[in-house]
Amino acid sequence: MTVAPPDRSLVRLLAEWLPRQRWFGGKHRPIDGLSIGTATVLRPGDPGLHHLVLDVGQDGATDRYQLLLGVRRVLPERLRPGEIGRLAAAGGGVEHVYDAAHDPELTRPLLAHMAAGDALGPVRFRHAPGAAIRTDLDAAPSPAEQSNTSLIFGDAYICKLFRRLAPGVNPDLEINLALSRQGCAHVPAVHGWMELDPAAGGDEGGEPVTLALLSEYLRTGTDGWQLALTSVRDWFAQPDPPAPPGTGPGAAPAPAARDAGAAGGDFAAEAERLGAATAQVHRDLAAAFGVTEAPPDELRARVADMNEQLSQVSSAVPDLRPYTAAIREVFARCAANARPLPFQRVHGDYHLGQAMRTGTGWVLLDFEGEPARTPRERRALGHPLRDVAGMLRSFEYAARYLQAGDGGDAPPAAAAAVEERARAWAERNRAAFCRGYAAAGGPDPVAHAGLLRALELDKAVYEVRYEARNRPSWLPVPLRTLERLAG
């Protein structure tokens, strides 16, 4: 198969296939144009492996995506879910082209290239200083839904392929390398990465574009989101769950006689430990990248950005409009009370799915930033409570996960009772996380309640936009909590 110069039939197949992929960011918008920016042979023959960078035009803008393209004369049944289509082969017959991320025979060479530090055309393979990368492992794609694709190599490594490419070094690589140098115990070790020569994107002298990150695989770890959902299910299974504790991040836990821990479903101890781990990572980020004192005008500028996002999202999502006036009032109070604040690098897209509980404690993952943000926004300094706000929103999501998509079908009395239970779980764990965070040296959420509330509302507005675009059935989850947050 010839992909350079671009094969017009392949371009047509890709334009039909891309919108059906979970990681494609423009599913609900037509593709105006698609071209192959770079095509690099990583393994010749049959099966063959090609690395493609695709330039996809939508609404007057161009996004870049990477694809590991497999080519086979005969496609095994196990690889058919990743099939893109068929093309005429040189010498007659047809060839199957497919997403090679699902093919262990073609993903194994990535380890060998990283171990050797190879450079194939514009694609460069790197390994961390002192890292000895095994090359005898097969990979299986992670089944988790996400905006990237993760390949799990045995019980040793996990390789994240960044499907939608951003200019320059990806924050996930940048931050994990920096934290590893700090000796941070709450991040996985970095073993290697892939990058694209900036000249391949027309950026002579610029930063290389991060393509993939190879990290330690936490085989004994349990996803924080799944742990929380197990707790929620147990909590809802109780015939008489505890009365809800007080509201707000500084609320005290429920009395011991009615504590969830006595009946199952309690997550508060883990939430408190997660808060402490978060504070430690924030301290290590400050040591690695420094801290800047932001003047009051900087916070006012951030609040102006919050208002701008609110205007955009409320214009596109009518369900948000009943809450906009109250949200703007919270933003206005935050701006009016602005004072100098310490700004630093933060996680930027922090939630329960970005943390894993291992035998030695909590580990934080995926420092890439929010998918809908620009590269500049992802790398911008911020107040550490931005991450706290993200985690507080995640507790709200976990508490209401079982209600997603069906809350409107329940009778009002039953729906109110379910909402009360969900709120009790969320408030208990929000309070525990904040206690752990403050006790471990993070900025006290109670002492910064106005700022935290504004940050949490801004995150909720972002969630409304994301769910409306990508998961409409989940839209009620952020909407159900907006009235209470804005009130």
Side-chain angles (χ1 to χ4, degrees), residues 5-82:
D7 186 310
R8 297 299 178 188
S9 298
L10 176 59
V11 168
R12 175 181 55 80
L13 290 175
L14 290 169
E16 295 171 353
W17 177 78
L18 271 176
R20 302 195 299 269
Q21 307 315 302
R22 167 69 179 87
W23 43 262
F24 182 63
K27 296 182 201 55
H28 305 297
R29 295 175 287 143
I31 293 177
D32 303 324
L34 187 152
S35 61
I36 297 176
T38 69
T40 307
V41 178
L42 301 184
R43 171 176 163 162
D46 184 2
L49 177 62
H50 302 255
H51 182 275
L52 304 185
V53 174
L54 308 177
D55 296 325
V56 182
Q58 291 183 290
D59 298 336
T62 300
D63 287 319
R64 312 186 81 198
Y65 292 85
Q66 75 163 317
L67 172 66
L68 294 177
L69 186 77
V71 183
R72 287 179 181 263
R73 287 272 187 169
V74 178
L75 189 66
E77 190 64 32
R78 60 185 171 80
L79 298 177
R80 289 198 178 276

Side-chain angles (χ1 to χ4, degrees), residues 17 21 23 49 67-70 72 75-84 98-108 139-143 149-151 161 163:
W17 177 78
Q21 307 315 302
W23 43 262
L49 177 62
L67 172 66
L68 294 177
L69 186 77
R72 287 179 181 263
L75 189 66
E77 190 64 32
R78 60 185 171 80
L79 298 177
R80 289 198 178 276
E83 184 173 14
I84 297 170
Y98 60 100
D99 185 356
H102 301 271
D103 188 347
E105 188 174 352
L106 294 184
T107 51
R108 184 191 298 175
S142 168
T149 298
S150 292
L151 306 176
L161 296 172
R163 293 290 197 164

